[in-house]
Amino acid sequence: MNHWLLKSEPDSFSIDALAKSPKQTSAWDGVRNFQARNMLRDFIKKDDLAFFYHSSCDVPGIAGVVKIVKDGYPDKTAFDAKHHHYDPDSKTDAPRWYVVDVKLVRKFKRIITLDELRPHAAKALKDFVLLRRGNRLSVMPVTKKDWEFVLTLE
DNA sequence: GCCAACGTTGGC
DNA sequence: GCCAACGTTGGC
């Protein structure tokens, strides 16, 4: 069982939006970066856990925990010419983009903010990809050690 | 296969 | 709205 961090802009999809989704479950769609795609397609597996991270917003930070409930499968939004995430290079017989399904496990009582995480970048969280300079990955692995440390901050 | 130009991300 | 960082594209 592995751990991950999934970024989302709360204006487009927040942890509250997930909480209101049917069965509190949703496809994690719209990822359009190959490195992140590879993780969705090949490495993230059912029953893995992930942090739900809010980016590009007033208070960037980790909002809660989700569980992967379905392995990677093709991102349908890439096939829809009217969709914001349409990609003509992704074909139904050769999909370019993938999603996993996630289910809400719990929303933290408060956001564990980026500001709170940063001071630990030198030591406790030195392997945390999120805190690496210039990091832009929207899907990233989290070590068990880092996962457990972050949970102590809540 | 190199690399400049361009677009996007994401914190501030 | 700015801009650093970095991924992708496309000409060569």
Side-chain angles (χ1 to χ4, degrees), chain A residues 17-116:
Chain A
L18 178 61
K20 286 179 201 142
S21 300
K23 299 183 185 174
Q24 301 196 322
T25 299
S26 171
W28 196 269
D29 60 25
V31 170
R32 297 292 180 267
N33 165 284
F34 290 106
Q35 218 182 329
R37 186 281 310 270
N38 292 346
M39 284 185 264
L40 292 175
R41 187 186 60 186
D42 303 328
F43 295 104
I44 302 186
K45 293 296 169 191
K46 188 168 178 291
D47 295 329
D48 285 355
L49 294 173
F51 287 134
F52 193 127
Y53 181 84
H54 283 177
S55 67
S56 294
C57 57
D58 283 354
V59 187
I62 300 171
V65 174
V66 300
K67 179 187 253 196
I68 311 306
V69 292
K70 188 173 178 183
D71 287 357
Y73 63 98
D75 186 341
K76 292 192 216 44
T77 66
F79 305 139
D80 178 357
K82 289 189 291 291
H83 198 282
H84 178 234
H85 294 303
Y86 176 57
D87 179 357
D89 292 334
S90 186
K91 314 289 186 193
T92 49
D93 59 348
R96 182 184 244 208
W97 306 114
Y98 281 72
V99 302
V100 294
D101 285 354
V102 303
K103 181 180 170 64
L104 183 65
V105 173
R106 74 189 176 92
K107 179 184 167 182
F108 292 155
K109 289 186 195 72
R110 58 181 197 86
I111 304 263
I112 300 174
T113 67
L114 185 59
D115 282 349
E116 289 174 76

Side-chain angles (χ1 to χ4, degrees), chain A residues 1-5 48-52 64-66 108 125 128 142-152:
Chain A
M1 206 268 281
N2 291 307
H3 300 87
W4 309 90
L5 181 143
D48 285 355
L49 294 173
F51 287 134
F52 193 127
V65 174
V66 300
F108 292 155
L125 295 177
F128 202 13
V142 178
T143 66
K144 189 164 201 297
K145 186 170 73 65
D146 288 351
W147 178 272
E148 284 166 2
F149 181 82
V150 168
L151 290 178
T152 66

